[in-house]
Amino acid sequence: IIQDSAANRKKLLKLLSLAGAQTGLSVSVSAVLDIEKDMDTLQQKVIPKLPDKKLPQLRKNATKKDVSLPYGLGEVMDRKKYSLIDAQLSCEWERIINSMSPGSAVGFISLLLAMPVDDNANVSAKNVPAEDTVAGKDNASESGSGNLLTVRIANDIAVPLRSRLYFLPPGQPGAKTLDISEAHLVKQLKSLKWLPCAVASSQSE
């Protein structure tokens, strides 16, 4: 049916959309809510990337307004905690791409190129806001337990290609963000031997 005509393909896509299927790649964003409870990640991945190789200072007093982690995570930031945010392809897409051949990957590459991305290594409150309004919770499916929270972000939200540390610093009302490394999503794409291009990055690892 899909190969019969463009009209049939359009009808099928509309039917799938009405059934709840999403167009575009599905990307999940995860947050380790308290990085100090994950000592392996803290010591091996975070500390080596930080200025002076140590965690920055945290604010001592509560903020006047709640500051939430971005991407629809829906978690109010705790002034006593550092949160690490990362992005990755959702599990179903990871299974699909691992079984793709170069000949069948054209559609995937088109979806990849159409995906809005955020690759700012020099992070600031302006280009990487710590606001829950970045993605509405209504557009995200949420999962997680304990110290890890994961949401599937909306297709029109810029996907972070960097893993970042979020915290509430002294001397300013909002959150601060530190660049840690390339996101797991970038590593997933780099592992695809058939992907015919390099994944752009503003900072070499």
Side-chain angles (χ1 to χ4, degrees), residues 49 120-123 162-165 177-181 203:
K49 300 291 185 177
N120 287 302
N122 297 317
V123 292
R162 308 295 304 174
S163 175
R164 302 183 177 108
L165 190 70
T177 319
L178 293 177
D179 184 75
I180 299 300
S181 66
Q203 179 173 313

Side-chain angles (χ1 to χ4, degrees), residues 17 30 37 60 66 69-70 104 126 150 154 182 192 203:
S17 178
S30 60
K37 289 185 178 180
K60 295 180 180 180
D66 289 341
L69 292 172
S104 64
K126 183 177 181 180
T150 302
E182 64 186 14
L192 302 175
Q203 179 173 313

Side-chain angles (χ1 to χ4, degrees), residues 97-194:
I97 64 174
N98 284 335
S99 61
M100 279 183 181
S101 64
S104 64
V106 176
F108 171 80
I109 295 171
S110 297
L111 293 175
L112 182 63
L113 293 175
M115 183 175 67
V117 297
D118 162 28
D119 193 26
N120 287 302
N122 297 317
V123 292
S124 70
K126 183 177 181 180
N127 58 34
V128 188
E131 298 289 346
D132 195 57
T133 53
V134 172
K137 286 192 71 175
D138 291 342
N139 296 326
S141 58
E142 181 178 331
S143 65
S145 59
N147 199 33
L148 182 66
L149 183 63
T150 302
V151 297
R152 189 170 300 180
I153 62 176
N155 290 340
D156 59 344
I157 301 301
V159 174
L161 299 185
R162 308 295 304 174
S163 175
R164 302 183 177 108
L165 190 70
Y166 283 75
F167 64 100
L168 297 174
Q172 71 178 61
K176 186 172 182 179
T177 319
L178 293 177
D179 184 75
I180 299 300
S181 66
E182 64 186 14
H184 183 64
L185 169 64
V186 177
K187 297 172 184 176
Q188 288 176 303
L189 297 176
K190 283 183 175 180
S191 70
L192 302 175
K193 296 180 180 179
W194 49 260

Side-chain angles (χ1 to χ4, degrees), residues 84-105:
L84 183 68
I85 291 184
D86 203 354
Q88 57 277 323
L89 285 172
S90 297
C91 56
E92 63 271 20
W93 270 105
E94 188 171 21
R95 289 194 296 267
I96 290 171
I97 64 174
N98 284 335
S99 61
M100 279 183 181
S101 64
S104 64

Side-chain angles (χ1 to χ4, degrees), residues 31-105:
V32 179
L33 299 177
D34 185 356
I35 194 63
E36 291 184 287
K37 289 185 178 180
D38 187 344
M39 293 305 296
D40 287 342
T41 300
L42 176 63
Q43 296 296 334
Q44 296 175 19
K45 298 181 179 181
V46 176
I47 292 296
K49 300 291 185 177
L50 294 177
D52 301 323
K53 311 300 182 189
K54 63 180 181 180
L55 290 168
Q57 284 187 317
L58 295 172
R59 67 179 296 131
K60 295 180 180 180
N61 302 318
T63 56
K64 293 182 179 179
K65 294 183 179 180
D66 289 341
V67 181
S68 296
L69 292 172
Y71 309 111
L73 286 161
E75 186 76 14
V76 174
M77 295 181 67
D78 188 324
R79 63 182 176 85
K80 298 179 181 180
K81 297 178 181 178
Y82 307 86
S83 298
L84 183 68
I85 291 184
D86 203 354
Q88 57 277 323
L89 285 172
S90 297
C91 56
E92 63 271 20
W93 270 105
E94 188 171 21
R95 289 194 296 267
I96 290 171
I97 64 174
N98 284 335
S99 61
M100 279 183 181
S101 64
S104 64

